[in-house]
Structures are given as structure tokens and as C-alpha cells.
Amino acid sequence: MKLEKIELGIIALPLVRPFRTSFGTQTSREVLIVKVVNENGTTGWAECVAMSEPLYSPEYVAGCLDLMKRFLIPALKSKPTITAEEVAPVLKPFLGAPMAKAALETAILDAQLQDQKISLATYLGATKSRVACGVSVGIANDLEALAEEVSSYVEQGYRRIKLKIEPGWDIAAVKKIRDLYPTILLQVDANQAYTRDDGKHLAALDEFNLLLIEQPLDEHDILGHALLAKQVKTPICLDESIISLQSARDALELKATTIINVKPGRVGGYIESVKIHDLCLKNKIPVWCGGMLETGIGRAANLALAALPGFTLPGDTSASSRYFKEDVTAPFVMIDGYLDVPNTTGIGITPNLDFLDSITTHREDI
Ligand code: OSB
Ligand code: MG
């Protein structure tokens, strides 16, 4: 396609409740939204999953905007025509920035698939029409508040609970929820909050029958995760450390992870995500789709990915109501613990433009 127009917008959406993790507390989601228009007048949408500050990953909203304007978009526009499949190779000389690159690739893919009249789910190779939902539960003020929040999610039908942990908020929190729900699928996410010396401490989680411990150590400490895996029985699942197909291959080979959280933004897009999925499926490694507190735009695309056959564990693909009072698309509503996979062309959403305008804090037309 020919890129006729690209619009970058920054929106701010309040969260329904503060989301506290080992790296900070979010009360509102600032999101960089990408809109592309091609020569047919087709509009493609995507959201960049970088957060306001570089606390989860090195990328952040204002940095992604600058990078897109200064380097990524000029590189794409220097080509007379571009396909979604060409985006990653064209942007490869610019190092890092998987979230910024993924957003551009996804917006172009959305427009391309609409023109080809196929859904993202079909394009990626989805085999399911709905996906089981998990929910990621932030660090609470006390165990009673945690139990209350988890209970409300269980009542709503969530099929898997993930507790955010950090030193000082781990064993007792897990015990509290496991005692309340002896059989529910339960896992924890540390967002790099522990060190190599914490093996013994984390082994105390083994008795709670957890599905996995997500990213206990520094994102660069692949060897540390492999050493930790020998000290704990609970499977280790990497999130932050997996930034590409290559890094997934290496971490598996080194036995640093036995389950992978696939986040399209973190690995540079949906096309790279499918490659990681295929590698894991071939090696019988379970994968699940992570989340980044996405609006309906990112959520729609994540659901298409989560519908691939290797996504055998419920992901952090929760209903819109888990995050926002009002979403920028039609809300994703959970039915019986599942969300339907969008099946119209492209990523399958139409943003509410008036609402989007009303929450836009910054806009640039390129
Ligand atoms: O580590 O998985 C994570 C949210 C923002 C950044 C990192 C993470 C998360 C979550 C929530 O755990 C996932 C979601 O519900 O979107
Ligand atoms: Mg995580």
C-alpha cells in the first residue's frame, strides 16, 4: 500500500482502580494511538503498548512518539509502497524499540487486511472463536482487600488469577488466595523484583500449586532464571526477557523458561509473535498472551493472537470493564469467562472517534 497519511495521538484514560506492581502504581493509562490511511482511503489502527515511564521496559510514550516521527515513519515513507510484512525488515536498522515498531506494523496490517477482506485472526492462523480470560491482580493494601478484589473477579467468571508479587507481598498473599480457592488456576508475576539469592524464598511458593512464576529476576539475567529453575519446582515463565524469536529460542535452550508470555508489543509485533508461537508449539512449550492494560484497539488484536492453537493457558486478556469505565471501542464483554475473537476484517474494531477526541492530549499529523 501507499501511506497517504499517518496520525499519532496520545490519549489518557483513567483506570477503574489503581494498578500496583513491583515497578510502580498506575492510575491512568496514557496510550500512543497510531492511525494510518492508505491510497484506497482505508484506515488502519493500532496502539503502542509503551507506558508513560520506562519502568516495565525501556520504551515510554513520549520516546516512542519521538522515535516514530524522527526515524521510523520517515523510513517507511521513503518506500514507494509498503506491506505489513516489510515493516520489520525496513525498521531493522533502528535498534530496539519493539513497541514503537509493533504499533506501526499493526496499523499497516489492519489497513492491509481490511483491503484484502480477511480478519487478523485468519491471517495469524487462529483456530478458536473465543478465548478463556485471566486477570492480573495488582498488589493490594492488605490481604483482606486482595481477597475482596480476587473474589469479585472469580464471581465475574475469570478462569485464571495472576497475583502481582514483590518482596514483602508474596507468600502470604498467595496462601490467602489459595486457601480461599483451592483449585482455581493461579500464578504470580514479580516483574523482576527478586535476585538470584531469593531461590530458597521463592521455593516456599511450591506448595501452592501455581501454574508459574513470571519474570522473577532481571530481564537480562537469563542464566539466573536457569539457576532458579533448579531451586524451585514451580515453572518459570519469562515475560520481560523475551524480546524476539531469537531470545525465546535462547531462553528455552538454556532452560531459563518452560512457559512463555507472548506480548506482541514486546517482541516487535504480531508477525514475530506467531514465529514464537510456532517455535513453542513445535517444542510443546505452552504460551499465553500477555497484556499491557490495552484499550479495545490493542485488545482486539491480542484476542486474534490468543486464538492460535499453542495458546493453551488463559492470558491477561480481560474484559474492557477490568480496566476502563468506557473503552475507545465497543467494550469487550466477557461471557462465561471467555471473550469472543473479532472476526470482521483487519483487527476488527471501529474506534469511537468522538470519545477518542475527548481524551486526546496531543496530536500530530504526518
Ligand atoms: O508484567 O504482565 C505484566 C501490565 C502492564 C505492564 C506489565 C504487565 C502488566 C500486567 C497486566 O500484568 C496485564 C493486563 O491485564 O493487561
Ligand atoms: Mg509480566
Side-chain angles (χ1 to χ4, degrees):
M1 71 178 69
K2 265 171 74 177
L3 291 173
E4 295 291 349
K5 198 160 108 185
I6 300 184
E7 282 177 33
L8 302 177
I10 295 177
I11 60 166
L13 254 188
L15 293 170
V16 291
R17 53 156 56 99
F19 184 60
R20 179 173 159 206
T21 64
S22 63
F23 62 79
T25 303
Q26 261 65 49
T27 56
S28 169
R29 187 68 170 101
E30 189 188 29
V31 192
L32 171 54
I33 305 282
V34 178
K35 172 182 165 187
V36 303
V37 182
N38 70 15
E39 76 278 23
N40 305 321
T42 309
T43 302
W45 293 92
E47 75 178 89
C48 176
V49 299
M51 307 185 82
S52 301
E53 301 163 296
L55 300 176
Y56 162 81
S57 88
E59 294 183 88
Y60 59 100
V61 172
C64 288
L65 179 81
D66 184 79
L67 193 82
M68 284 182 189
K69 270 190 339 195
R70 203 182 290 267
F71 301 107
L72 306 185
I73 292 173
L76 295 174
K77 292 194 99 166
S78 74
K79 306 281 158 192
T81 66
I82 186 97
T83 65
E85 294 78 8
E86 289 163 350
V87 170
V90 168
L91 300 183
K92 197 169 173 3
F94 304 104
L95 301 180
M99 294 175 177
K101 291 173 178 175
L104 292 168
E105 179 188 276
T106 305
I108 290 170
L109 186 56
D110 183 29
Q112 178 174 314
L113 296 178
Q114 287 177 60
D115 285 348
Q116 294 171 348
K117 298 196 166 33
I118 63 169
S119 69
L120 178 65
T122 300
Y123 172 82
L124 297 177
T127 54
K128 295 174 270 188
S129 60
R130 59 175 200 163
V131 302
C133 300
V135 59
S136 177
V137 185
I139 294 167
N141 287 333
D142 54 59
L143 294 177
E144 289 314 314
L146 178 73
E148 213 170 284
E149 187 178 343
V150 169
S151 302
S152 97
Y153 292 136
V154 173
E155 271 158 35
Q156 289 168 50
Y158 283 101
R159 289 175 178 264
R160 185 227 67 194
I161 301 292
K162 161 168 138 183
L163 303 180
K164 290 291 192 177
I165 59 167
E166 66 182 3
W169 183 266
D170 47 23
I171 316 295
V174 170
K175 180 171 176 359
K176 177 81 183 177
I177 300 308
R178 184 47 95 206
D179 285 348
L180 271 178
Y181 298 105
T183 59
I184 201 160
L185 297 181
L186 186 63
Q187 66 193 50
V188 292
D189 186 0
N191 291 109
Q192 319 183 51
Y194 295 88
T195 71
R196 285 189 186 189
D197 298 332
D198 291 321
K200 250 211 181 99
H201 178 72
L202 290 171
L205 291 171
D206 284 342
E207 65 173 291
F208 300 110
N209 189 27
L210 300 179
L211 283 171
L212 57 91
I213 306 177
E214 184 177 345
Q215 197 72 40
L217 310 180
D218 186 89
E219 63 176 329
H220 303 292
D221 195 6
I222 304 302
L223 176 59
H225 284 100
L227 295 171
L228 186 64
K230 294 184 186 170
Q231 292 183 68
V232 300
K233 292 200 189 72
T234 309
I236 307 280
C237 169
L238 292 179
D239 172 357
E240 285 92 321
S241 299
I242 306 299
I243 54 166
S244 61
L245 173 65
Q246 185 62 52
S247 64
R249 212 184 260 137
D250 294 352
L252 290 171
E253 183 108 358
L254 293 166
K255 300 197 186 326
T257 193
T258 49
I259 297 173
I260 289 182
N261 168 344
V262 182
K263 274 187 194 164
R266 211 195 48 228
V267 304
Y270 289 87
I271 295 172
E272 188 81 355
S273 297
V274 171
K275 292 179 188 166
I276 295 174
H277 162 272
D278 293 349
L279 169 78
C280 290
L281 189 61
K282 203 172 101 204
N283 290 286
K284 300 192 169 60
I285 296 293
V287 299
W288 55 280
C289 183
M292 289 293 292
L293 313 175
E294 285 93 344
T295 71
I297 298 173
R299 191 159 311 284
N302 282 350
L303 288 167
L305 181 69
L308 268 64
F311 284 78
T312 52
L313 294 171
D316 286 342
T317 44
S318 313
S320 296
S321 63
R322 150 72 185 88
Y323 311 93
F324 313 112
K325 205 165 115 216
E326 186 175 354
D327 208 332
V328 305
T329 60
F332 285 87
V333 178
M334 190 168 66
I335 301 165
D336 199 22
Y338 288 82
L339 285 179
D340 283 337
V341 177
N343 57 14
T344 53
T345 65
I347 66 174
I349 50 93
T350 316
N352 177 340
L353 296 181
D354 289 338
F355 182 54
L356 214 48
D357 267 351
S358 73
I359 55 172
T360 296
T361 57
H362 183 89
R363 222 187 91 173
E364 306 204 21
D365 294 356
I366 293 162

